[in-house]
Amino acid sequence: MGRHAARFLATRGAILVAACDTAGTVVNRNGLDIAELIRLKDQGRSVCDSAGGEKLGRDAVIDIECDIWIPAARPDVVREDNVQRLNAGLVLQGANIPFTAAAERTLAQKGVLVVPDFIANAGGVICAAMEICGRHAGRGVAAIGEKIRVNTEAVLAEAKERGVLRARPRSIWRRAG
C-alpha cells in the first residue's frame, strides 16, 4: 500500500518526506527518492538503507510534520499514548485498523480529517474479489473507482449530517517547486 500511495501522490505533485518499515524511519524534508526506496524494498532491504535521508527509529515516523500521513502496514500504530505526536492535516488509513477508537476521537477533536481504512484501502479487496469472479483487471479498476466513490460520498454525507466532519482548513498538498 505504501509504495503505491507514494507513487500515486508523487505523480500529482506531492513530496514524500518520510517512510518507515520494521527497521526504522528515513526522513528528508526536501523529498525522498521513491524509486530508490522501492528498489531497496524489492531487494529485501530497509528504507533506512537509503542514502538520501536521516535515519530515525521506527516509531519516529509519527513525529514527522506533514500534510498527508498514511499508516500503510501495521494495526494499532496510533494510540492514546502517542496520538498527540501526530501532526498532519489528513490521514489516509492504508493499514487495517491503524488507530484505536480513542486516537480517532482525539484527531477529530483536533480537526484532523481521517479517511477510514474501509475506504482508503478497499481497492485491493475489491480487485481481489473481481479476480476471484474471473473479471478482467480493467473491470476491476473501474469497479474500484465506482465503489470507493459511492462509499466515500455516503460516509461524507453521514458525517456531515451527524456533524462529525470538522477538518481544519489547510492545504493537504505540498507541491514540488
Side-chain angles (χ1 to χ4, degrees):
M1 167 67 174
R3 79 174 57 196
H4 300 299
R7 279 194 305 229
F8 175 82
L9 291 170
T11 64
R12 281 144 181 85
I15 297 170
L16 180 66
V17 296
C20 77
D21 59 22
T22 56
T25 299
V26 62
V27 180
N28 184 333
R29 290 263 161 227
N30 295 317
L32 293 167
D33 181 342
I34 296 169
E36 177 197 20
L37 297 178
I38 291 170
R39 274 193 308 279
L40 289 169
K41 295 308 291 181
D42 286 346
Q43 295 168 359
R45 297 172 60 195
S46 170
V47 295
C48 289
D49 292 331
S50 169
E54 178 185 2
K55 283 62 169 174
L56 303 172
R58 179 175 78 172
D59 292 334
V61 72
I62 295 170
D63 300 310
I64 308 304
E65 182 179 352
C66 59
D67 295 320
I68 304 170
W69 199 76
I70 306 173
R74 303 184 319 193
D76 297 324
V77 173
V78 179
R79 308 167 304 275
E80 297 82 349
D81 64 321
N82 65 8
V83 68
Q84 293 299 338
R85 293 168 41 199
L86 186 62
N87 186 4
L90 172 66
V91 174
L92 303 172
Q93 293 186 348
N96 293 330
I97 315 169
F99 290 15
T100 63
E104 285 184 351
R105 283 190 298 275
T106 299
L107 291 175
Q109 290 168 353
K110 287 174 60 174
V112 176
L113 180 60
V114 178
V115 177
D117 59 349
F118 63 88
I119 290 177
N121 75 11
V125 174
I126 294 168
C127 192
M130 297 291 287
E131 288 175 7
I132 289 170
C133 293
R135 304 259 166 63
H136 184 269
R139 287 188 64 191
V141 170
I144 290 168
E146 177 61 20
K147 290 179 185 304
I148 290 177
R149 183 188 59 76
V150 168
N151 289 340
T152 301
E153 288 173 354
V155 167
L156 290 173
E158 178 82 12
K160 184 176 181 181
E161 183 177 310
R162 290 183 182 195
V164 295
L165 185 59
R166 294 185 213 101
R168 65 180 174 228
R170 167 177 167 167
S171 170
I172 60 170
W173 297 100
R174 179 170 166 227
R175 298 256 178 219

